[in-house]
Amino acid sequence: MQEQRDEKPEAPGGSSGRNSRVKPTGASNTTAGEEVTGPGTTKLMEAVVERGNMVMALHRVESNKGAAGVDGMTVAELRAYLKEQWPVIRERLLSGSYEPKPVRRVEIPKPDGKGVRKLGIPTVIDRLIQQALHQVMNPIFDPSFSESSYGFRPGRSAHNAVKQAREYVREGRRWVVDMDLEKFFDRVNHDILMARVARKVKDKRVLLLIRKYLQAGVMEEGLTVASVEGTPQGGPLSPLLSNIMLDDLDKELERRGHRFCRYADDCNLYVRSRHAGERVMESLTRLLEQKLKLKVNREKSAVGRPWERKYLGYSMTVHRKALLKVAPQSVKRIRVRFKELFRAGVGRNLERFIKGELNPVIRGWAYYFHLSETRGTFEELDEWLRRKLRCMLWRQWKRVWTRFKRLKARGLDEARAWKSVTNGRGSWWNSGASHMNEAFPKRFFDQVGLLSLLTTVRLAQQKIN
């Protein structure tokens, strides 16, 4: 038997570097032979703690970074801790005596500004173990998941779901059943979820560990609250568990011959008439609430036209050959985000503010919405951003004399510059007026490095296509 020190997840290039190669599938076959990779395995925990699997999990946790849990340990401190404590942790995992710590509760505002989303941050040790569990369990469950399930799966993304939804609409299914599950991650029934996990996982230690994670509780303001339902968002295992939980829904929809796209708990079905949509909505609500004990949010769920609803941030045009576009709610959301940046950027150097604050958000947003087949939204946002920057400059100048000198320096004649700075209008009006547009045209912002949403979207489309 190998010594326990050989099981430590050491960094590549260390004294055990010759053993650091890891199979890309995530599930090891070096510890428990064929039993560990197939459904029904009874020796899954050996695959979880196997050195190669743990090294891969460690690298993933370190790359994801993230905040500390209830014990205060950071990702940067994880390796040093494992060098001392991994043999003890490993033995407890193999014996079934490991006890996870509660998650740290944090609340983040929802994108629509209505309420907050509760996230649970596990300790870095528990994130490591959950990641190792995920790498071994995912190859067991993922092959049997529905082709219409796109969330948190290898080789699949929100973009795949959005493009498939567009194809369904182009085929003539011009009504959508937009299902919204109310607080899905907070309402998952533990017994129902564990029954579905146990269909393919026969290692009782793994089943016990997953249940312990579900019931680990939440620490808020120093007090631990027991978890009787739900699976906390924030842990590496949570996305896989959500897909396992909703796989029954997918299979039932396939059995009935429906066309649908599901990304985590966001599920849209595409039908040919309102009557069919209402019938499907009613039957699915019964299925979800009676069989899976999940609650459908009747206020947010609806039967409607695809161009009246949004899916994963996108909407569609009314054309017979539907085109993807950015949903109005997504535009409103990014405007709010930009306004927050501008408020924090008061007094900042313009070029540093653009490159350090604005451009990363512009780039990320443009790359996510590069599937949009309409350009108007990006042009309008580009114009709005330039006006916000002109407004920021106008406010920074403050005094009439400073504004006068700045406009003259940018090429305006003395008479026009003086008339512009003494017009008595506010900052926003002046930022859209001809004198500021002439002094600071689009080419000025191009020169200082401002990314154009429209140009960035086109570049993303060319790169991916």
Side-chain angles (χ1 to χ4, degrees):
M1 180 180 296
Q2 283 185 310
E3 294 178 8
Q4 286 181 333
R5 60 181 174 84
D6 292 332
E7 300 294 332
K8 292 181 186 177
E10 298 176 357
S15 60
S16 299
R18 67 183 185 277
N19 296 324
S20 63
R21 288 189 179 179
V22 182
K23 292 182 181 298
T25 58
S28 168
N29 61 359
T30 62
T31 302
E34 295 182 357
E35 282 188 288
V36 300
T37 58
T41 178
T42 58
K43 292 186 177 181
L44 210 59
M45 188 61 80
E46 279 75 9
V48 172
V49 302
E50 189 269 331
R51 183 181 181 282
N53 190 56
M54 293 305 302
V55 169
M56 181 185 288
L58 177 61
H59 291 169
R60 187 64 181 268
V61 170
E62 289 178 329
S63 65
N64 288 341
K65 300 180 181 179
V70 296
D71 61 356
M73 185 188 300
T74 65
V75 173
E77 299 169 321
L78 180 56
R79 282 184 179 246
Y81 181 83
L82 289 173
K83 287 180 180 179
E84 299 296 329
Q85 298 297 324
W86 173 244
V88 176
I89 297 171
R90 179 179 183 277
E91 183 57 38
R92 287 176 180 170
L93 288 169
L94 289 172
S95 66
S97 62
Y98 180 81
E99 294 292 335
K101 287 183 171 60
V103 299
R104 181 168 67 88
R105 174 72 81 205
V106 295
E107 296 181 346
I108 60 173
K110 289 187 176 179
D112 57 8
K114 299 178 181 178
V116 296
R117 176 175 287 112
K118 295 181 178 181
L119 296 181
I121 302 179
T123 65
V124 290
I125 292 295
D126 286 325
R127 292 211 292 274
L128 174 71
I129 296 170
Q130 285 193 34
Q131 180 63 36
L133 279 167
H134 182 277
Q135 290 169 181
V136 171
M137 290 175 58
N138 198 64
I140 295 173
F141 284 92
D142 189 81
S144 64
F145 286 153
S146 169
E147 287 297 311
S148 297
S149 169
Y150 294 91
F152 314 116
R153 297 183 61 192
R156 290 168 173 264
S157 67
H159 287 158
N160 298 133
V162 168
K163 287 191 286 188
Q164 184 59 68
R166 178 189 61 188
E167 294 310 307
Y168 288 147
V169 175
R170 288 180 174 180
E171 290 171 5
R173 296 176 174 83
R174 295 171 67 81
W175 290 88
V176 58
V177 181
D178 189 352
M179 298 287 295
D180 184 89
L181 297 178
E182 186 174 312
K183 298 180 179 178
F184 168 74
F185 286 95
D186 296 331
R187 295 184 181 275
V188 170
N189 183 286
H190 291 172
D191 291 335
I192 294 176
L193 172 58
M194 290 308 303
R196 279 145 184 77
V197 175
R199 290 172 180 172
K200 295 189 176 183
V201 174
K202 303 304 179 184
D203 190 325
K204 293 182 179 179
R205 297 165 299 176
V206 172
L207 295 173
L208 177 61
L209 181 59
I210 294 173
R211 186 174 281 276
K212 284 180 179 179
Y213 274 121
L214 293 174
Q215 298 176 342
V218 176
M219 182 172 287
E220 295 182 276
E221 299 180 355
L223 298 176
T224 301
V225 180
S227 301
V228 295
E229 64 178 0
T231 170
Q233 290 178 265
L237 199 56
S238 184
L240 175 60
L241 294 179
S242 70
N243 277 333
I244 293 173
M245 183 70 177
L246 292 173
D247 191 49
D248 278 12
L249 170 64
D250 297 342
K251 295 298 191 289
E252 180 63 21
L253 293 177
E254 289 178 338
R255 187 186 68 80
R256 298 182 185 184
H258 289 304
R259 302 293 186 272
F260 69 98
C261 298
R262 183 178 67 77
Y263 190 94
D265 59 330
D266 201 343
C267 185
N268 277 9
L269 295 88
Y270 296 88
V271 295
R272 296 183 184 276
S273 69
R274 175 183 286 277
H275 178 71
E278 291 172 346
R279 185 176 66 249
V280 169
M281 175 73 80
E282 184 179 347
S283 65
L284 287 185
T285 300
R286 285 197 304 270
L287 170 70
L288 288 164
E289 296 186 345
Q290 294 177 11
K291 184 176 180 181
L292 297 180
K293 306 301 180 185
L294 298 171
K295 187 175 181 180
V296 174
N297 188 327
R298 287 171 169 78
E299 292 183 2
K300 294 185 177 179
S301 300
V303 177
R305 295 292 197 176
W307 47 90
E308 297 170 348
R309 309 294 297 177
K310 73 176 180 71
Y311 184 54
L312 301 176
Y314 283 86
S315 187
M316 300 187 199
T317 65
V318 71
H319 302 98
R320 180 61 58 183
K321 185 179 179 180
L323 302 176
L324 291 173
K325 67 176 185 177
V326 183
Q329 299 94 320
S330 300
V331 176
K332 182 179 179 181
R333 192 178 305 159
I334 195 60
R335 281 178 180 262
V336 170
R337 175 67 178 131
F338 281 131
K339 286 178 181 178
E340 292 172 352
L341 292 178
F342 278 105
R343 280 196 293 270
V346 174
R348 295 275 303 277
N349 173 273
L350 183 71
E351 188 169 347
R352 286 198 296 269
F353 173 70
I354 287 173
K355 293 180 178 178
E357 306 295 333
L358 279 187
N359 281 355
V361 177
I362 290 172
R363 186 180 293 108
W365 199 81
Y367 267 76
Y368 181 77
F369 285 104
H370 77 270
L371 293 182
S372 176
E373 297 164 290
T374 61
R375 55 185 289 178
T377 295
F378 305 112
E379 291 176 333
E380 290 173 7
L381 281 173
D382 278 336
E383 292 173 2
W384 180 79
L385 279 172
R386 290 193 293 271
R387 183 172 180 179
K388 291 289 289 184
L389 288 167
R390 294 184 188 108
C391 184
M392 188 174 80
L393 289 172
W394 188 265
R395 286 174 174 167
Q396 285 179 351
W397 297 338
K398 294 182 181 179
R399 301 178 186 276
V400 170
W401 186 246
T402 304
R403 290 170 177 170
F404 174 69
K405 290 193 297 182
R406 298 287 185 176
L407 290 181
K408 277 189 64 180
R410 292 297 304 168
L412 271 66
D413 64 70
E414 187 171 305
R416 188 179 179 197
W418 185 253
K419 182 179 180 180
S420 299
V421 301
T422 57
N423 59 38
R425 300 278 190 167
S427 300
W428 184 245
W429 186 92
N430 276 284
S431 67
S434 60
H435 53 270
M436 283 297 283
N437 276 272
E438 185 176 327
F440 296 94
K442 179 181 180 298
R443 66 177 177 275
F444 167 82
F445 295 107
D446 292 340
Q447 290 168 357
V448 296
L450 177 67
L451 291 178
S452 160
L453 278 163
L454 181 60
T455 302
T456 307
V457 165
R458 286 175 172 171
L459 290 174
Q461 291 172 343
Q462 294 171 5
K463 183 177 179 180
I464 293 171
N465 295 333

